[in-house]
Amino acid sequence: GADARMVLDELVYDPDTGSGRAAFSVLQGVFVFVSGEIAASGPDQMVVRTPVATIGIRGTKVAGQAAAEGERNVITLLPEPDGSVGGISVTNASGTITLSQAFQTTLVTTALLPPSPPVVLPVAAANLLYGGVEKTAPRPEAEAPGAREREAAPEERGAAPEGEAAGEGVFAEGDPEGG
C-alpha cells in the first residue's frame, strides 16, 4: 500500500566473484525479502533493518511487518519453492534469535527487549499477516510440473504494483490487507 517505506542503504555486488554487500531499511509496512548470491557469500553480507531489529539473511526468504518502536514488528522465515529453508538471525540491542524452520516467526516491539521466542505459523496465518505468502510454500512436484523450469509471472513473484515501495530483492506492501 501507499504507506510502505523502504530505503536502500547499501548495494555492492561483483558478478565475477558473486560477492558483495546489501543493506535495506524497511521503515514501515509489509515486506518479503528474497536473498540471492550476496547472502550466500557470507552471513553478515545481507541485512534488512526495521525500526526495532536487524535481520541477518543467510540464503533464504523472509517476510515481515515493520513498524515504529513500541509497535508490533513481526518477522517470519519462509521456505524456498523446493522446500529448502535457509536461516535468519533477528538481533536488537537486547538479544538475538535464530530462525531456521519454515514459517518460524518472532515478534519484536522494542529494542529494549529481546525478540520473542519463535513460534511456527500455519501457512494460513502467515498469509493473513503478509498476504499471498502461500505462493512461497513448497508444493509437491506432482502438483507443479515444470515449476523449476518456468519463470513465474510478476504477480506470482510478489512484484510490487506501480506506486508501491520496492527494491532489489525486497517488496514492501504497506499492510497485510493490501491497503
Side-chain angles (χ1 to χ4, degrees), residues 37-153:
E37 289 186 33
I38 293 174
S41 69
D44 299 322
Q45 299 309 305
M46 185 160 280
V47 296
V48 176
R49 294 179 187 94
T50 74
V52 297
T54 298
I55 307 163
I57 310 292
R58 294 186 300 268
T60 195
K61 292 181 184 179
V62 62
Q65 288 181 331
E69 172 75 23
E71 296 180 21
R72 182 179 78 166
N73 285 251
V74 183
I75 301 160
T76 302
L77 178 62
L78 300 177
E80 296 293 326
D82 67 0
S84 65
V85 179
I88 61 173
S89 60
V90 180
T91 302
N92 66 12
S94 300
T96 299
I97 191 159
T98 299
L99 305 182
S100 58
Q101 187 177 351
F103 296 102
Q104 206 169 30
T105 301
T106 187
L107 175 69
V108 187
T109 55
T110 177
L112 302 175
L113 296 172
S116 71
V119 297
V120 177
L121 292 182
V123 174
N127 190 46
L128 285 174
L129 280 171
Y130 308 117
V133 78
E134 79 280 353
K135 294 175 184 159
T136 68
R139 294 183 296 185
E141 286 298 318
E143 292 180 30
R148 291 183 188 176
E149 292 80 27
R150 72 174 172 85
E151 174 76 16

Side-chain angles (χ1 to χ4, degrees), residues 23-49:
F24 304 90
S25 293
V26 181
L27 307 175
Q28 67 183 32
V30 173
F31 64 92
V32 175
F33 183 90
V34 181
S35 68
E37 289 186 33
I38 293 174
S41 69
D44 299 322
Q45 299 309 305
M46 185 160 280
V47 296
V48 176
R49 294 179 187 94

